[in-house]
Amino acid sequence: MRTRVRGWRWRHNPLRRRSDLVEAWTALAVAVLLCVGAPLVGAVAGLWAHERARAVATVQRAERHMVRAVVLGDAPEQLPSVEGTDQEHAYRTDVRWTEPGKGTRTAQARVPAGTRAGDRVDVWFDRHGRGVPPPPDEVAVWQHTVTVGLCGAAGAAGAVLLCHGVVRRVALRHRLAEWEQEWSRTGPDWTRGRA
């Protein structure tokens, strides 16, 4: 029957080695870092990503403008795809719109799959008149924030666990060396032949 004694590495006893104490302190540090440090790293990374994503979205909103345009050419219904994927794709086709004071303009822009000639769509252009995707909205900014935050927390947790594995391996080597040293002192007393 096997009995576990909780906290034996913390208490002084003749079986405890220095490596056991190091391993106990390391386990405590790992628990604190996983419960406090990794979420904190994730939160800081998420806040940083949120600020950057909002700044990029603000710049893109200032540089891009949306127009309501009429599609001149048909877009394909859908891409040949693997069965079970229902992603809507954007295709480049000619569109026409009227700008006040500038007259009618025609350019290529991205339109959703299945758009027919004559349909009205919202398209985005940059300062140079090139068709571009719309700037990220608040949902996209928050998705980016959460993704970076989770990746930061997972990366921090992975680094902590990797370091813990290295410390445990080194502690095991030291523990085995200490036991070997103790056995070399006490082994002859146990293995001596009795008369």
Side-chain angles (χ1 to χ4, degrees), residues 76-148:
E77 285 294 325
Q78 63 185 20
L79 277 177
S81 61
V82 178
E83 189 174 323
T85 58
D86 295 331
Q87 283 189 324
E88 188 175 298
H89 297 280
Y91 296 94
R92 288 193 151 310
T93 189
D94 291 328
V95 295
R96 182 179 58 228
W97 72 99
T98 304
E99 284 188 25
K102 294 185 180 179
T104 302
R105 296 189 61 191
T106 303
Q108 279 214 338
R110 294 177 176 269
V111 297
T115 305
R116 299 275 178 231
D119 289 350
R120 291 191 159 285
V121 293
D122 293 331
V123 293
W124 288 83
F125 293 98
D126 64 6
R127 293 180 188 174
H128 307 292
R130 293 183 301 238
V132 292
D137 60 357
E138 198 62 28
V139 172
V141 169
W142 277 106
Q143 286 174 339
H144 179 71
T145 300
V146 170
T147 302
V148 170

Side-chain angles (χ1 to χ4, degrees), residues 31-83:
V32 168
L33 288 174
L34 287 178
C35 293
V36 177
L40 187 62
V41 167
V44 169
L47 288 173
W48 175 81
H50 185 72
E51 291 302 318
R52 298 277 302 159
R54 286 191 92 173
V56 167
T58 302
V59 168
Q60 286 185 358
R61 278 189 212 106
E63 292 176 345
R64 298 175 182 187
H65 65 282
M66 182 189 73
V67 296
R68 187 93 171 135
V70 175
V71 177
L72 299 178
D74 290 339
E77 285 294 325
Q78 63 185 20
L79 277 177
S81 61
V82 178
E83 189 174 323

Side-chain angles (χ1 to χ4, degrees), residues 113-188:
T115 305
R116 299 275 178 231
D119 289 350
R120 291 191 159 285
V121 293
D122 293 331
V123 293
W124 288 83
F125 293 98
D126 64 6
R127 293 180 188 174
H128 307 292
R130 293 183 301 238
V132 292
D137 60 357
E138 198 62 28
V139 172
V141 169
W142 277 106
Q143 286 174 339
H144 179 71
T145 300
V146 170
T147 302
V148 170
L150 288 175
C151 288
V160 167
L161 292 174
L162 181 67
C163 290
H164 179 61
V166 169
V167 169
R168 279 189 62 136
R169 194 172 269 267
V170 170
L172 178 63
R173 283 188 185 161
H174 282 285
R175 183 181 311 118
L176 291 175
E178 289 170 345
W179 283 350
E180 187 66 33
Q181 188 179 21
E182 283 290 322
W183 181 250
S184 67
R185 277 189 264 150
T186 59

Side-chain angles (χ1 to χ4, degrees), residues 20-31:
D20 295 326
L21 193 59
V22 167
E23 195 172 352
W25 279 106
T26 302
L28 179 64
V30 165

